[in-house]
Amino acid sequence: MFETLSLHALQVYWWIIIALLGGLFVFIMFIQGGQTLLNQLSASDQEKSMLVNSLGRKWELGFTTLVLFGGALFAAFPKFYATSFGGAYWLWLGILFSFIIQAVSYEYRKKESNFLGAKTYETFLFINGSVGTILLGIAISTFFSGAAFTLDDNNFVHWSVGTRGLEALMEPLNYLLAIAMYFLVRIIAGMYFLNNIDHEPIRTRTRAMIKRNIVYFLPFFLGFVGWVLMKDVYTYHPDTLKVTQVSMHHLYTFIELPYLAGMFLIGVVMVLVAVFNSVFREKNCCIFTVGIGTVLTVMALLLNVGLNHTIYYPSTTDMQSSLSIANSAGSHYTLTAMSYASLMVPFVLAYIAFVWHAMDKVKITEEEITSADEHQY
Amino acid sequence: MELMNTELIDWSRAQFALTALYHFLFVPLTLGLSFIVAIMETIYVKTGDQRWKTITRFWMTLFAINFAIGVATGLIMEFEFGTNWANYSWFVGDIFGAPLAVEGILAFFMESTFFAVMFFGWNKVSKGFHLVSTWLVAVGSNLSAFWILVANGWMQYPVGMEFNPDTVRNEMANFWDVALSPVAVAKFLHTIGSGYVIGALFVIGISAWMILKGRDVLEAKRSMVVGASFGLLVSIFLAVSGDESAHQVAQQQPVKLAAMEGLYKGEERAGIIAVGILNPDKKIGDDLPPLYGDVEIPYALSLLGYHDIDAFVPGLDDLVLGNEKYGIEGAASKIEKGKIAVQALQSYKEAKKIDDKIAMAEARKLLDEYMPYFGYGYLEKPTDIVPPIALTFYSFHIMVGLGTWFILLFLIVLYLTMASDITRFKKILWLSVWSIPLGYIAAEAGWVVAEVGRQPWAIQDLMPVGIAATHIDAGNVKVSFWLFAVLFTVLLIAEIKIMLRQIAIGIKGGH
């Protein structure tokens, strides 16, 4: 079935999958968002434990999505994997370190003889939630702002600056997306807590938090969207792959591919509706609305940067080295083989949804957290 | 492509070795213990005996402590090919990335989704659903091992691909050749076998300690029966899969096999060195004895490597210098052919720049012919194909010696728990306790054989490590190496302390 598709069609198909994974990953980063709220939303150690346990039952999904994101990029767009991970060395290592310390923290925080003490593990969770999210936002923002690399005639990456990725932290515009993401994942975390924890004091504090964070989120998000839509963008010629600069290309892409613009707008509206329902109508059901909204918004942005002959990873030092889905993807054979593997994705999503539903039917309560018969974080 | 400086290569290798060795301290227990707890929970569900539930949950708690740090150390493995081996990632990413992605889709989600049910679902889902979840965690972790070992097997024995000079990369030509390559399958079976053995050693060792301390003796004895029965089966499986693994090494990586055995001069009806000390002055091609005080099992190497008692097993001298009688090509000639391939690629690129189709076709023809030797083109002298012999040799012998001991131990423990009263055999109990670290030593030694033994290759015959790394100042890698060393060591200390505390709390104490 996939064999008959053209190389270009396969590249588009895989970019759609990457965009979907990116969207799902930003959504599941509510775990990171929640990790920055442990002190703010709790008034006692017990309430904090309710928050930690609520997140603790989902953290691995986020971790796994990150790993799959890496694997899928390696398989489908190996040139990006080699160029960005090898080049922006410290940016990616910083992100990875923040996730490494997250992985042990849930399990070890409350265990006896845990060597570093509960506070340290809570700090690890906070670092992962704050620094990790901001660094990831900056890394994703380099899809728009570019990076300082040149590819030689073997397509091997050479980085032009010795800071190896840290220079992205010096670009102020990268913080627009990074900070917007930071507040967004806190908002989603709030809705997850509302849905998952049956405890009124936490719910009251959560609604107030969402209200504040949407106010912080909006200027950064709108600033980011404004910057992206107005900026000069690299594009490539479909036959020669030669890279040229076009002004406001992202905006034109939304106009030329209106379904992307629709997807983006519907996503944003869904997020706002979810916030409205959570804060003003005091509903607890909005995690899925905000989730789908987030996935749609992020997907639309990633599709915008990858499709319509757009360069998705611009080089700021050698324009022609820039990466597009056309010059960075795997071979026809590999993309075909991987496409068959991708048919498993709906099945995987289905069992995740099924297990999520089965486990979350029973909400987290004080009784459960104080029960000796439960595995606790 | 040019060789990078040795300092960078050494630090890049050191970092990969450090992170991989750390990761593999935790993976085997996940692989083995996941099945053992699944078996224990099955007994609980079948019998309805609450004691089995208590036993299952105790081992599950230890499983979770180990699992968390396994996940933490595993993350970097997924990305380190890119961060530190960027040239490699481009040169073979079209093949190598696929198993990693499939691992993510098929295995990781299964593992992580059902892990949550296994730990938090006791009072939330039905008994049957819970049991299925526990089994799915075991299946998921083993599936994950399969795909990552397919990737590793491919580096040792690259198959199912074609080189594309336009993109300067290898491209996949047959997925099934990659996924079902005999090297990958042998590696998978041997590696999961080592995980199962470590799981079993862990269970009998900790149970033995509890019996020695007079704590939860009944539960510990029950655990011991499960651990020892499982251990005996899987340690025999480990020996059989080890035999197949060595057979594959003989076929595909004869230099590694010669290093594993300290074999310099090849011979027919070659024996295996059971014990021996390497002669440190021995050089390729000289007449010094390679070993002192060696005890040999006659014919065994020919049998192991080629399943033929009369087979000729080439030694390092033959492989480096060549051996006409047995038709073995020396490294010097391979290096020459490799240089032709490297030059042909260069000519192809130059011809392409000026759009000279005839010159392109000529260069392409030459490249296709000599591509199997491409990596040799970056070696300087014939002895460059020889890996560090002492490290490979001793690691191999430690691994095999310990593997043999484990079979014996499981046999004794199983016999004593079934036919006698093991609580009276204190020495055996202590031996069980002290065999836990031995399991880890054996598994790590196995990886040293596999990875050090294949040097200088990142991909056998195609790409030496010297051109595979990321172009980066070595200082960066030094810093990240130490960051990993400190962080992983701190986490390891935390893990061991928590684990010991949970063991001290005991089987019934926790629940």
Side-chain angles (χ1 to χ4, degrees), chain A residues 138-155:
Chain A
I138 288 175
I140 298 171
S141 186
T142 60
F143 278 27
F144 301 93
S145 63
F149 65 90
T150 306
L151 299 179
D152 64 20
D153 66 351
N154 298 309
N155 286 314

Side-chain angles (χ1 to χ4, degrees), chain A residues 53 56-57 59-61 63-68 70-72 74-75 78-79 81-82 85-86 89-90 92-93 96-97 99-101 103-104 107-108 111-116 121 124 152-158 162 164 327-331 333-334 337-338 341-342 344-345 348 351-352 354-355 358-359 362 368 372-377, chain B residues 1 15 57 61 64-65 67-69 71-72 75-76 78-79 81-84 86-87 89-90 93-94 96-98 100-102 104-106 108-110 112-117 119-121 123-125 129 167-169 171-175 346 349 470-472 476-477 479-480 483-484 487-488 490-491 493-495 497-498 501-502 505:
Chain A
N53 275 280
R57 286 153 208 212
W59 77 267
E60 280 202 52
L61 280 180
F63 210 85
T64 308
T65 313
L66 173 63
V67 173
L68 179 59
F74 198 178
K79 199 188 273 182
Y81 179 91
F85 291 112
Y89 189 75
W90 286 113
W92 290 110
L93 280 192
L96 295 177
F97 277 122
F99 276 85
I100 289 170
I101 58 177
V104 291
E107 186 65 36
Y108 293 1
K111 287 276 186 306
E112 290 178 42
S113 307
N114 66 7
F115 186 48
L116 301 172
Y121 292 106
F124 282 175
D152 64 20
D153 66 351
N154 298 309
N155 286 314
F156 291 165
V157 58
H158 298 265
R164 301 298 297 212
N327 72 6
S328 68
S331 64
Y333 183 90
T334 297
M338 291 300 305
S342 76
M344 291 297 290
V345 170
V348 171
Y351 74 65
I352 291 174
F354 174 71
V355 168
M359 293 289 288
V362 187
E368 185 187 337
D373 190 41
E374 294 287 343
H375 186 91
Q376 304 290 3
Y377 281 142
Chain B
M1 276 179 241
Q15 180 170 309
R57 293 193 64 171
T61 304
I65 296 163
F67 189 81
I69 189 166
V71 172
L75 178 68
I76 182 63
E78 177 90 4
F79 292 91
F81 297 104
T83 54
N84 292 83
N87 293 359
S89 295
W90 172 249
D94 194 57
F96 195 81
L100 298 191
V102 175
I105 297 172
L106 293 185
F108 284 148
F109 279 105
M110 187 188 282
S112 58
T113 305
F114 293 101
F115 180 90
V117 182
F119 283 93
F120 301 106
N123 300 324
K124 288 195 159 90
V125 298
F129 183 23
T167 51
V168 197
R169 69 172 175 187
E171 295 178 351
M172 204 193 299
N174 190 325
F175 179 78
Q346 198 53 40
K349 285 191 234 167
T470 302
H471 283 284
I472 188 168
N476 291 295
V477 188
V479 174
S480 55
L483 286 174
F484 279 116
L487 179 62
F488 283 1
V490 168
L491 297 185
I493 294 170
E495 193 245 7
K497 283 180 72 101
I498 294 170
R501 182 70 201 130
Q502 288 298 316
I505 291 171

